[in-house]
Amino acid sequence: MKQGLFIIITLLGALLSSAQQKHTISGTITDQQTGETLIGATIRLLGNSGIGVLSNSYGFYSITAPENKYTMVVSFSGHKSDTLEITLNKDITHQFGLEPAGAQLNEVVVVARRNDNITRTLPGVQKISIEEIKNVPVIFGEQDILKTIQLLPGIKSGGDGSTGFFVRGGGADQNLILLDEATVYNASHLLGFFSTFNSDAIKDVTVYKGDMPAQYGGRLSSLLDVKMNDGNNKNYRVSGGVGLIASRINVEGPIVKNKGSFMISARRTYADLFLKLSKDSTINRSILYFYDINAKANYQLNERNKVFLSAYFGSDKLGFSNQFGIRWGNATTTLRWNHIFTSKLFSNTSLIYSDYSYNISINQTTNNLSIVSKIKDLTLKEDLQYYAGNNNKINFGFNLTKHTFTPGEFLTSKTSSYNSLILQDKYALDGVAYVSNEWEASDKIKLNTGLRLSSFNITGPGDFYSYNSKGETTDTMAYSSGKIVKSYLNLQPRFAATYQLNKLSSIKISYSRNIQNLHLLSNSTGSNPTDLWIPSSNNVKPEIADQVSAGYYRNINNNKYEFSTELYYKLLQNQIDYKNGAILVANETVESQLVYGKGRAYGLEAYAKKKYGSLTGWISYTLSRTERHIEGVNNNLWYPATQDQTHSLSIVVVYKLGKKWTLGSDFVFNTGNAVTWPSGKYNIDGNTAFYYTERNSYRMPAYHRMDVSATLQGKKTEKFDGSWTFSIYNAYGRQNPYFIQFQNDPANPQRTQAIQYSLFRWVPSVTYNFKF
Amino acid sequence: MPLYKTKYLISLVLFTVYGCKKVIDVKLHNAATQIVITGDIDNRPGPYKVSISKTIDFSSENVFPPVSGAIVKIKANGITDSLTETSPGIYSTHFLRGRPGTTYSLFVLAEGKEYTATSTMPQPVQLDSIDFRSGRKNTLYAVANFQDPEGVPNYYQFIEYVNGNKFRNGRGNSVFDDRLSDGRYINRLLYDDSSDIKTGAILTVQMNCVDKEVYSYLSELLQISGGGEGFSSPTPANPTSNISGGALGYFSAHTISTRSVIIP
């Protein structure tokens, strides 16, 4: 009996020990010099299993492994790796502070060459480092994230002077731009010449070309996720730049050393000062400026809790003396709370308020008119990350947004030619819940699966109209406050898989569905700050995109060169277009002017990059097609979307010449946009009118341009770092087509001719950058 | 509405600082010829004219072939006036009188195809006066002053003449509707070019009250008269004609009110 018991106990003991106790090590990864949390740092336990995780957007990591001794290696680009021997026999917390790799060129630093692009699961993702943004020459010498991402495959520029960008054939309103989790509605100043992001203050930029993780959604084609610096929590630092057109300054420092910090960053342009020099009275009485202010503060309450408060204000103003003025801008405020429940469960709660509005005022003696239009959003977001162990991470959460749209309030004086008009406000409640799983099934296979459920509800108070095919109102229904007019429930699955062929190459495939409930109405070929955003409604259905993609990724020469190629195919539903002569302005029944249809986009992207050495850069090439099929348009036949550009090539080269000079240049080439041009002409009342046949059956001439820049490193001491950047946008001054107009030849009115207008030829600039 | 002009104005500023233009060669397809019919009936004594012509290739000289030998009839109040071709492609009425409130129906049989249209002449609105306002580069803009009748949708077309001649290059044409201005006293600014308005010349502004379909046609025609797909303009398309059967052009029964002033 005793012997039997003894055997059972021994067996049980053997069973228990072979089940192997697991423990968790967790903590935060920061930059040792500034205290900034590092996003996407790699933390690995060396050994047979090679367990590893990436730090999350707040620098948090958590690894669960069987009880054992391990060597932990933590690495992040631009920093020296850190190694730690640990004995994992209970739950441990450990904070890592990584040293930057050192700015001196003659310092030999062993920095492991990363193969993130091979191992990272999601295809269609592009990360850009701040260094890369700083070295790419851009118009007016201003560093610009939006312009830099347009040099990547699959992301097309809207052209000179254009705000929008187009990802994989999607529309300009199909890109979700987040700045520290707050949605940015207008990401460019002054029609796209300057971005709203001050690159001094940016920590991380990631672009998802449609394959977004399940915690993101709301726009069909892409996500541009921009994270700002939190602020140096050890020392005060000031940096900035003074340029010909605009200047910027960034001040950061500790609130309580090592516990809390703040950052304030501001930019303003003074282009209007130059306009005053003009002799033309229209120009010298013009007002043209923009400004941005970014402010953040954070405080570590205790080991498990950290709070953040951030705000962004940006505004553009354009006017002609006091006769006409338009002002538009974004303001956002975000309150966030990081809470670490257990060593495996991380939570972030955010409360976000955003306000996007424009204001127009016209004073023409008797004709006075002021117009106000805005969108206000209030969002509550809860994101939880559970590091389950076994190479399994589960993300789940929800968010709730209340949208209030003020489409337009037109106020006029008694003598004005216009009546006052107040379009009714629109209200919508957007609720989302999601769950997703990142699983390393084996050392070769990684799977990401996710599901996002969204419930979009349009609520009263208000009148809701129904229309017939002629656009006439057939029914008006009144709803009281809070009553649901229409609800759209959409399930959005997300799936991605990576198969690692070997350490240097992998294959990725993915499928995702995205929904968009906010639609930008703009029937001009360029976008306007006064374009109208409308929510889905009883007439307008949510837009849907289904995208599949497959890619091959390969690094060569020990990760010195990256190479990738991806194929994608995207189907779009419920795409919006406009009736002939559509009236979108000041129209209560604007939905009667819309027509609907579908779209498809497909393409091949190729990308090659050299990340290390004194010569770095990348080449990206996209071959693509994007088409639409809209009821009543083009005789109900497929036609190319305006943004369809068959070939698109970008080459970026950065060369570090000695200790003082960095030379940068980029070259872009793309096939022209699709345009509708005349196929004949006729006479109406003595004037020549043009006859059109198919929609978008012609192409603008090709666009190509090269920009060059040279940065001269000035004196650099412990306390001060200055540099001069000289650049020329459009270095060979090509007259790139901005638009083409047809008119009677002034020299020979019997003939018609085509005139091409170009916007920029050579644009030089000088900027002085400083840091102390 | 000035909203669509925002981007135009912004670009104009930047343009004047940087922009440049040049003539380029474009290869345009040549579509099959289409028939173009325009017909105007107004509240002055007749005769009224209907013009029938054809489209030509973009690269051709601006000589638009008239269509002769067509049968053209206009019917109103049960009486039909059969028009006679008084010059190539121009057909004139005999006894028809244009009166506000009357609906006119057009019938055309040209080259074996039938085309029909109807238009109702609205009630007249008087153009009270013209004055001038200074614009950019010290140009003068004419301002049309009139009272919009309240409670009725009104659609207006403006045509400007200097010393009896239209402005060059299709300028001097604009439209206005009272969708946002019902019942107001209107001071409508008529944009033009500095080359159009010359001191001492006689400026005549003709204000037509047109019906809804003709207003839509003229509005869409103006949108494509920029002649190209520029910033700020919608994708060009043929204006929605009120003539059925596939003809380009329009048929308009409208009232006329004109005022002339000497340009200061």
Side-chain angles (χ1 to χ4, degrees):
Chain A
M1 191 51 182
K2 244 193 204 170
Q3 239 189 353
L5 204 57
F6 182 72
I7 294 171
I8 292 169
I9 293 170
T10 326
L11 277 170
L12 271 171
L15 260 165
L16 280 167
S17 61
S18 74
Q20 278 226 298
Q21 267 281 53
K22 287 202 175 154
H23 302 290
T24 307
I25 175 164
S26 60
T28 308
I29 319 277
T30 56
D31 178 304
Q32 182 64 10
Q33 271 189 10
T34 62
E36 288 285 349
T37 52
L38 299 178
I39 301 172
T42 311
I43 303 100
R44 271 196 336 259
L45 295 180
L46 300 182
N48 292 343
S49 49
I51 302 168
V53 288
L54 296 179
S55 60
N56 75 5
S57 13
Y58 295 94
F60 177 80
Y61 77 92
S62 163
I63 299 188
T64 303
E67 185 163 325
N68 206 337
K69 283 201 170 94
Y70 294 99
T71 306
M72 253 182 106
V73 180
V74 180
S75 55
F76 186 70
S77 77
H79 292 72
K80 296 181 193 161
S81 300
D82 203 354
T83 308
L84 184 74
E85 302 293 332
I86 58 165
T87 306
L88 196 62
N89 52 13
K90 60 178 182 345
D91 285 351
I92 309 173
T93 56
H94 190 94
Q95 322 301 337
F96 286 90
L98 300 185
E99 288 283 351
Q104 279 87 7
L105 283 170
N106 53 8
E107 185 184 319
V108 175
V109 171
V110 177
V111 176
R113 299 222 197 110
R114 309 287 299 275
N115 68 343
D116 288 347
N117 62 319
I118 303 292
T119 57
R120 195 194 304 130
T121 325
L122 291 176
V125 179
Q126 215 93 40
K127 266 191 172 284
I128 319 182
S129 73
I130 301 309
E131 274 312 299
E132 283 166 348
I133 298 171
K134 284 191 160 70
N135 290 323
V136 172
V138 159
I139 194 165
F140 298 130
E142 284 285 307
Q143 288 143 23
D144 188 339
I145 299 177
L146 288 192
K147 291 281 185 286
T148 310
I149 63 169
Q150 289 167 29
L151 298 166
L152 298 171
I155 303 178
K156 309 258 171 92
S157 158
D160 283 340
S162 165
T163 337
F165 59 97
F166 307 94
V167 179
R168 292 185 169 172
D173 65 333
Q174 292 178 0
N175 307 308
L176 177 62
I177 303 175
L178 295 179
L179 181 64
D180 279 344
E181 304 198 40
T183 306
V184 175
Y185 280 97
N186 184 34
S188 286
H189 290 294
L190 291 178
L191 305 174
F193 299 127
F194 301 96
S195 90
T196 47
F197 303 109
N198 183 347
S199 359
D200 280 340
I202 304 264
K203 176 150 54 175
D204 187 79
V205 178
T206 312
V207 186
Y208 298 86
K209 295 183 280 194
D211 297 306
M212 296 168 231
Q215 60 260 40
Y216 299 111
R219 300 283 188 275
L220 298 186
S221 292
S222 77
L223 165 64
L224 174 63
D225 191 9
V226 180
K227 299 231 168 2
M228 308 255 309
N229 282 336
D230 293 324
N232 193 325
N233 69 8
K234 296 174 201 277
N235 294 299
Y236 292 98
R237 289 258 177 275
V238 178
S239 63
V242 179
L244 283 181
I245 307 279
S247 288
R248 60 189 206 279
I249 189 159
N250 186 51
V251 179
E252 54 182 311
I255 296 176
V256 173
K257 194 161 176 178
N258 289 317
K259 276 198 122 186
S261 62
F262 74 94
M263 183 214 71
I264 299 180
S265 166
R267 280 160 86 213
R268 194 200 191 278
T269 181
Y270 27 79
D272 43 347
L273 294 180
F274 290 94
L275 295 176
K276 288 209 192 327
L277 299 172
S278 168
K279 293 205 174 59
D280 185 321
S281 65
T282 316
I283 298 182
N284 65 25
R285 284 186 296 164
S286 298
I287 303 162
L288 185 78
Y289 70 80
F290 71 80
Y291 69 83
D292 287 306
I293 301 175
N294 264 304
K296 269 181 94 157
N298 67 78
Y299 192 72
Q300 185 93 41
L301 295 167
N302 55 44
E303 244 212 21
R304 285 180 182 276
N305 294 288
K306 189 171 182 186
V307 286
F308 304 79
L309 181 61
S310 42
Y312 166 80
F313 304 100
S315 187
D316 284 57
K317 179 136 195 222
L318 171 76
F320 289 109
S321 56
N322 64 345
Q323 278 188 16
F324 171 79
I326 172 170
R327 187 165 46 85
W328 69 94
N330 277 326
T332 69
T333 321
T334 310
L335 179 63
R336 283 176 292 169
W337 172 38
N338 281 172
H339 179 63
I340 300 173
F341 281 98
T342 72
S343 55
K344 290 187 185 190
L345 185 60
F346 176 92
S347 141
N348 178 59
T349 315
S350 307
L351 189 62
I352 308 166
Y353 173 74
S354 106
D355 183 315
Y356 173 59
S357 64
Y358 71 80
N359 240 298
I360 298 180
S361 68
I362 300 171
N363 299 310
Q364 276 175 355
T365 45
T366 51
N367 250 337
N368 290 323
L369 172 65
S370 98
I371 306 172
V372 171
S373 175
K374 33 173 143 194
I375 305 176
K376 287 196 295 234
D377 293 342
L378 184 61
T379 306
L380 173 66
K381 262 174 131 176
E382 174 59 48
D383 294 300
L384 290 138
Q385 293 165 30
Y386 181 64
Y387 294 80
N390 288 332
N391 292 320
N392 226 326
K393 184 181 177 217
I394 303 174
N395 303 306
F396 59 103
F398 69 87
N399 60 59
L400 212 55
T401 304
K402 174 158 207 257
H403 296 287
T404 307
F405 299 86
T406 301
E409 285 176 8
F410 304 83
L411 300 170
T412 61
S413 63
K414 275 219 182 97
T415 52
S416 171
S417 299
Y418 298 102
N419 288 323
S420 289
L421 170 68
I422 298 181
L423 297 175
Q424 60 179 1
D425 281 357
K426 297 187 202 225
Y427 306 92
L429 208 57
D430 193 355
V432 168
Y434 70 90
V435 62
S436 75
N437 173 244
E438 296 167 36
W439 179 37
E440 278 187 40
S442 74
D443 58 354
K444 284 192 181 299
I445 300 180
K446 281 195 204 158
L447 297 170
N448 269 23
T449 40
L451 199 57
R452 185 178 169 88
L453 179 67
S454 77
S455 165
F456 192 81
N457 307 282
I458 300 98
T459 64
D463 288 329
F464 293 84
Y465 310 98
S466 303
Y467 309 100
N468 63 14
S469 56
K470 280 203 230 160
E472 293 157 351
T473 310
T474 52
D475 195 20
T476 307
M477 292 205 53
Y479 286 82
S480 57
S481 179
K483 205 134 194 270
I484 295 183
V485 179
K486 181 93 192 179
S487 225
Y488 289 104
L489 199 63
N490 286 105
L491 208 54
Q492 300 153 63
R494 310 277 166 91
F495 171 74
T498 304
Y499 181 73
Q500 241 183 289
L501 298 165
N502 52 52
K503 260 201 156 155
L504 290 175
S505 64
S506 61
I507 298 179
K508 301 183 201 182
I509 58 167
S510 77
Y511 161 71
S512 66
R513 168 170 274 214
N514 273 301
I515 302 290
Q516 181 159 339
N517 279 304
L518 258 55
H519 320 276
L520 185 64
L521 300 187
S522 160
N523 72 346
S524 70
T525 48
S527 48
N528 242 321
T530 54
D531 290 333
L532 184 67
W533 283 94
I534 58 164
S536 298
S537 72
N538 54 323
N539 296 303
V540 182
K541 297 198 193 120
E543 297 176 53
I544 305 175
D546 288 293
Q547 178 177 281
V548 288
S549 76
Y552 173 67
Y553 295 71
R554 177 104 165 88
N555 286 359
I556 7 184
N557 207 338
N558 193 15
N559 293 320
K560 193 168 183 188
Y561 298 89
E562 272 181 33
F563 173 75
S564 69
T565 172
E566 260 185 65
L567 278 166
Y568 66 89
Y569 186 83
K570 181 154 74 172
L571 279 172
L572 301 159
Q573 294 175 58
N574 301 330
Q575 300 298 285
I576 299 174
D577 208 297
Y578 314 95
K579 293 198 157 104
N580 240 358
I583 301 170
L584 300 182
V585 172
N587 189 353
E588 184 68 65
T589 57
V590 69
E591 291 174 1
S592 65
Q593 308 291 292
L594 309 178
V595 289
Y596 308 95
K598 53 191 178 184
R600 62 187 179 206
Y602 44 92
L604 170 72
E605 295 167 6
Y607 184 63
K609 184 172 184 174
K610 179 173 192 282
K611 291 200 295 192
Y612 305 98
S614 44
L615 181 74
T616 56
W618 71 82
I619 300 179
S620 67
Y621 170 71
T622 311
L623 176 69
S624 65
R625 180 102 171 136
T626 169
E627 312 169 294
R628 300 287 178 272
H629 183 286
I630 308 281
E631 208 180 300
V633 174
N634 202 42
N635 291 319
N636 291 326
L637 297 168
W638 284 97
Y639 61 91
T642 306
Q643 64 264 33
D644 182 39
Q645 291 171 359
T646 318
H647 302 279
S648 175
L649 173 71
S650 305
I651 304 177
V652 177
V653 177
V654 176
Y655 182 59
K656 281 198 179 7
L657 182 65
K659 289 190 208 168
K660 291 209 162 232
W661 287 95
T662 304
L663 306 174
S665 97
D666 64 69
F667 172 75
V668 296
F669 170 89
N670 55 257
T671 318
N673 284 345
V675 279
T676 307
W677 282 346
S679 299
K681 58 187 175 181
Y682 53 100
N683 188 303
I684 295 271
D685 298 334
N687 299 316
T688 308
F690 298 106
Y691 174 60
Y692 298 96
T693 48
E694 299 103 0
R695 159 97 83 131
N696 286 352
S697 59
Y698 291 95
R699 291 281 155 170
M700 289 286 272
Y703 177 106
H704 56 87
R705 178 195 95 230
M706 178 159 85
D707 312 315
V708 292
S709 76
T711 304
L712 173 62
Q713 179 68 47
K715 60 170 163 227
K716 184 169 178 165
T717 64
E718 268 271 329
K719 293 206 183 264
F720 189 85
D721 183 352
S723 66
W724 288 93
T725 303
F726 309 94
S727 71
I728 305 180
Y729 177 86
N730 198 0
Y732 52 81
R734 180 165 198 260
Q735 286 180 278
N736 279 311
Y738 184 44
F739 77 101
I740 291 182
Q741 194 169 62
F742 299 97
Q743 61 181 39
N744 288 333
D745 186 343
N748 178 7
Q750 289 290 78
R751 289 217 166 262
T752 353
Q753 55 176 199
I755 307 269
Q756 174 186 286
Y757 287 82
S758 307
L759 199 51
F760 296 115
R761 296 194 75 181
W762 305 268
V763 184
S765 86
V766 181
T767 311
Y768 178 68
N769 298 302
F770 59 89
K771 247 193 281 206
F772 58 87
Chain B
M1 262 260 80
L3 284 176
Y4 72 87
K5 281 193 161 7
T6 340
K7 189 158 184 193
Y8 170 75
L9 288 163
I10 296 169
S11 302
L12 187 70
V13 174
L14 289 151
F15 219 65
T16 348
V17 182
Y18 281 111
C20 42
K21 59 183 185 180
K22 64 177 182 184
V23 179
I24 59 164
D25 251 323
V26 288
K27 286 192 183 43
L28 298 173
H29 317 316
N30 295 317
T33 54
Q34 306 288 312
I35 275 224
V36 183
I37 302 173
T38 62
D40 283 277
I41 299 178
D42 57 56
N43 58 341
R44 295 175 303 195
Y48 313 112
K49 300 195 180 347
V50 170
S51 133
I52 309 182
S53 62
K54 286 220 178 131
T55 61
I56 55 175
D57 293 341
F58 183 84
S59 51
S60 308
E61 291 244 331
N62 289 351
V63 177
F64 303 96
V67 174
S68 288
I71 298 176
V72 184
K73 299 186 196 183
I74 300 179
K75 182 169 158 178
N77 296 326
I79 305 174
T80 305
D81 187 336
S82 293
L83 284 71
T84 315
E85 189 169 359
T86 48
S87 58
I90 311 283
Y91 301 78
S92 304
T93 59
H94 302 286
F95 54 80
L96 196 72
R97 271 308 302 257
R99 295 195 198 286
T102 310
T103 301
Y104 298 87
S105 306
L106 173 73
F107 171 84
V108 172
L109 175 62
E111 297 183 342
K113 287 216 190 110
E114 280 181 18
Y115 305 93
T116 57
T118 56
S119 179
T120 306
M121 188 180 295
Q123 295 302 318
V125 176
Q126 282 290 72
L127 175 60
D128 291 340
S129 62
I130 309 283
D131 43 51
F132 292 90
R133 197 163 293 158
S134 299
R136 58 182 294 261
K137 283 201 174 133
N138 299 317
T139 45
L140 285 179
Y141 296 126
V143 179
N145 305 306
F146 58 97
Q147 173 66 53
D148 178 81
E150 194 172 351
V152 176
N154 300 95
Y155 306 95
Y156 305 94
Q157 174 189 13
F158 296 93
I159 308 173
E160 292 172 84
Y161 301 85
V162 165
N163 290 337
N165 300 314
K166 283 195 176 173
F167 293 2
R168 285 179 307 162
N169 287 329
R171 288 193 298 270
N173 288 297
S174 58
V175 291
F176 178 71
D177 77 322
D178 69 349
R179 179 174 75 93
L180 302 171
S181 307
D182 192 34
R184 291 257 166 172
Y185 193 80
I186 314 284
N187 309 105
R188 180 73 179 163
L189 204 67
L190 305 170
Y191 289 95
D192 53 55
D193 209 54
S194 54
S195 57
D196 303 315
I197 308 263
K198 300 257 186 293
T199 307
I202 299 176
L203 175 73
T204 306
V205 175
Q206 176 182 326
M207 182 171 92
N208 297 344
C209 291
V210 298
D211 70 20
K212 184 172 186 215
E213 281 75 37
V214 172
Y215 169 79
S216 299
Y217 176 85
L218 293 171
S219 176
E220 290 167 37
L221 181 66
L222 277 169
Q223 271 176 1
I224 64 166
S225 293
E229 210 165 315
F231 42 50
S232 220
S233 57
T235 314
N238 298 318
T240 314
S241 170
N242 65 344
I243 303 177
S244 70
L248 297 166
Y250 67 92
F251 175 60
S252 172
H254 58 88
T255 63
I256 292 188
S257 178
T258 55
R259 285 261 174 266
S260 297
V261 276
I262 299 178
I263 300 167

